[in-house]
């Protein structure tokens, strides 16, 4: 992997520049992720089907002899060096991106794993900024992996995912599910992860695309309102579940079949909540069917389910918006597009499309031109590969 060797050298050079030398520095990597199908199901006890990517976050780190923490990101050079220490593990607005590694240090301590010494850390991510490919979860898992390697904590990669989610929920205030951190911590090259978020059981599914490519289209729309809307969707689903539980013995919306939902949806009353719950229930079933289709080599069916997922996210869950809808609807018009949908939280961020190799260039040209015309600024496109989980390089 020449790419990763180049990246390793780049962070090491920056480390020497920022901290004086590169003696005893170790370099680590944690991937980004893309979700193929199963959106907004992870906090509803449903299934998801994400994969880790070969792009992600590189970190050069060195243990210190004192309790200082010094953080530097090559993606935010203007912010410069941020210094703090192990006795001040609180989130601050001005601490910016460093609230992610800090959150992990805090979470380890909360879980009873005392961090004995500080560190110097330089990060460099090649996940496009603000793309919705989980750069923050990537930093979280990376930091956890470094702590495990430095201090020998007895934690599995699945533990690192849970610690990442815990820090995101409790330290950074985003009520996310487990999907992103899990996909990153448990990634496997060439495979997507079929995860049941009700009990964290998972299976690796080989992603055989017969030469087709996974293309990410980045809307370049920043999320802004996204996080509050995200928490709002969560509460709407919780409210719907509470009403269904008056008659049904279920733990989550993911426990329901479509037929059970159709029979009992009247209990929910509120029409908006009915639509939110309908998405959660049907999306969960679609995810299970999509994994079956992929296993059977029926890529066309997999693509149709991706398209149906987008329609449901657009009409029932209402988390797409003009930018993501334009990217997807323009993609659907192109010959050689097997499926296309928004991916991640929505409201901005990116879409994922499965595109036949010979159509990728046309896809980028045509979708790019139509997007610029309708939205007024450009989208970015990346053909991505499925990679493995966190590692030391
Ligand atoms: C974000 C969250 C995930 C998941 C997705 C939507 O990426 O971090 O937990 O809920 O949105 O599927």
């Amino acid at each position: 992997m020449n790419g990763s060797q180049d990246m390793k050298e780049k962070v090491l050079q920056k480390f020497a520049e920022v901290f004086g030398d590169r003696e005893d520095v170790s370099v680590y990597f944690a991937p980004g992720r893309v979700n193929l199908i199963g959106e907004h199901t992870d906090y509803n006890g449903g299934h998801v089907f994400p994969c880790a990517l070969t792009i992600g976050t590189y970190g050069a780190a060195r243990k210190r002899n004192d309790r200082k923490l010094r953080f530097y990101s090559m993606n935010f050079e203007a912010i410069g060096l941020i210094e703090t220490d192990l006795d001040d593990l609180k989130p601050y607005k001005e601490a910016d991106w460093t609230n992610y590694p800090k959150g992990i240090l805090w979470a380890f301590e909360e879980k009873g794993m005392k961090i004995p010494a500080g560190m110097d850390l330089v990060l460099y991510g090649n996940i496009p900024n603000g793309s919705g490919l989980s750069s923050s979860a990537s930093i979280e898992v990376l930091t956890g992996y470094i702590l495990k390697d430095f201090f020998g904590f007895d934690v599995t990669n699945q533990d690192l995912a849970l610690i990442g989610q815990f820090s995101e929920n409790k330290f950074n205030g985003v009520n996310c599910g487990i999907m992103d951190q899990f996909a990153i911590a448990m990634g496997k090259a060439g495979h997507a992860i079929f995860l049941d978020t009700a009990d964290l059981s998972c299976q690796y599914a080989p992603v055989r695309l017969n030469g087709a490519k996974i293309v990410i289209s980045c809307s370049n729309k920043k999320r802004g309102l996204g996080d509050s809307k995200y928490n709002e969707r969560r509460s709407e689903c919780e409210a719907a579940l509470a009403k269904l539980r008056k008659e049904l013995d279920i733990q989550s919306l993911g426990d329901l079949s479509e037929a059970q939902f159709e029979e009992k949806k009247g209990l929910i009353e509120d029409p908006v909540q009915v639509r939110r719950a309908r998405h959660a229930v049907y999306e969960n079933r679609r995810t299970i069917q999509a994994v079956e289709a992929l296993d059977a080599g029926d890529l066309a069916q997999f693509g149709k389910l991706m398209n149906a997922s987008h329609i449901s996210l657009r009409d029932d869950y209402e988390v797409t918006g003009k930018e993501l809808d334009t990217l997807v609807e323009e993609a659907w018009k192109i010959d050689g597009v097997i499926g296309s949908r928004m991916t991640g939280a929505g409201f901005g961020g990116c879409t994922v499309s499965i595109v036949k190799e010979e159509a990728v260039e046309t896809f980028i040209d045509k979708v790019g031109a139509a997007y610029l015309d309708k939205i007024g600024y450009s989208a970015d496109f990346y053909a991505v590969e499925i990679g493995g989980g966190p590692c030391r390089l």
Side-chain angles (χ1 to χ4, degrees), residues 41 43-47 196-198 241 250-257 260 277 280-281 284-285 288:
T41 48
Y43 51 85
N44 284 308
H47 293 77
D196 183 349
T197 62
L241 175 65
I250 52 170
Q251 298 305 312
S252 69
L253 294 174
D255 289 340
L256 289 178
S257 67
Q260 283 168 315
V281 171
N284 183 37
R285 307 311 291 182
I288 297 167

Side-chain angles (χ1 to χ4, degrees), residues 33 35 38-43 134 176-180 230 344-345:
R33 71 95 187 89
N35 188 22
E39 216 65 82
H40 288 279
T41 48
D42 66 344
Y43 51 85
S134 287
C176 67
I178 187 62
M179 173 172 73
D180 303 345
Y230 182 90

Side-chain angles (χ1 to χ4, degrees), residues 32-36 51-56 126-128 131 133 190 207 209 211-218 343 350-355 357 360 363-364 380-387:
R33 71 95 187 89
V34 65
N35 188 22
L36 298 177
C51 47
L53 300 173
T54 53
I55 52 176
N126 57 358
I127 303 172
S131 61
L133 300 179
V207 179
L209 298 179
K213 295 279 165 200
I214 301 175
V215 180
I216 306 293
S217 309
C218 184
T343 182
C350 55
T351 70
V352 57
S353 309
I354 312 279
V355 186
E357 197 162 10
V360 171
F363 174 95
I364 296 175
D380 289 316
F381 299 89
Y382 310 87
V384 292
E385 304 290 337
I386 304 179

